[in-house]
Amino acid sequence: MNGIRPDELDERLGGGSGEGSEGTSGDEPFVLDVRPADAYESGAIDGSHNLPVYEDLRGGDESALRARLDEVPRDREVITVCKMGIVAKRATNVLEEEGYDARTLAGGMSGWNGYRVGSLGYKIRSLWWRIR
């Protein structure tokens, strides 16, 4: 899986569950949320950046994302995010084709929210991601 689990991303963003978490010391990824603007505005990962190209990517049109690549830094790892991770995977593929170091957030915002609240569904998916 060319992805990153929500707990791994949280740690990379300086979250983590332990006190005195070391933070990122310059290796913090660029979190690229491709969901529509209204979905992004109703709840997003702190510090993420929105390029609302979800509908285009979902329909197979990569040109909207390619046209805005100047908004995505090349000197940082890019983590793509959508609702469930499927469309974000398409964004990751485009970014990789263009030479970016990119990964997809496993489970998308659904996985992220499940992780944040410690849901049973997230715990089961996380176990599955770890053993694959």
Side-chain angles (χ1 to χ4, degrees), residues 73-116:
R74 290 189 174 271
D75 62 346
R76 293 166 61 188
E77 179 182 28
V78 178
I79 308 298
T80 61
V81 180
C82 69
K83 181 178 180 181
M84 299 292 291
I86 297 165
V87 174
K89 179 103 177 108
R90 292 182 185 169
T92 296
N93 291 339
V94 169
L95 291 167
E96 287 178 332
E97 288 172 10
E98 295 293 333
Y100 287 83
D101 178 14
R103 296 167 72 188
T104 305
L105 178 62
M109 282 304 293
S110 176
W112 177 261
N113 291 332
Y115 160 71
R116 300 295 281 180

Side-chain angles (χ1 to χ4, degrees), residues 11 33 65 101-102 115 121 125:
E11 188 66 34
D33 192 320
L65 175 57
D101 178 14
Y115 160 71
R125 280 186 292 187

Side-chain angles (χ1 to χ4, degrees), residues 28-67:
E28 187 171 298
F30 182 86
V31 180
L32 177 63
D33 192 320
V34 299
R35 296 176 300 147
D38 60 335
Y40 177 79
E41 290 166 7
S42 69
I45 297 171
D46 287 345
S48 64
H49 305 272
N50 184 228
L51 288 184
V53 296
Y54 179 89
E55 293 301 330
D56 297 302
L57 289 171
R58 194 175 116 203
D61 181 5
E62 300 171 352
S63 64
L65 175 57
R66 290 183 192 278

Side-chain angles (χ1 to χ4, degrees), residues 3-17:
I4 184 170
R5 295 186 321 263
D7 59 307
E8 293 174 309
L9 178 58
D10 193 30
E11 188 66 34
R12 294 273 314 277
L13 294 175
S17 57

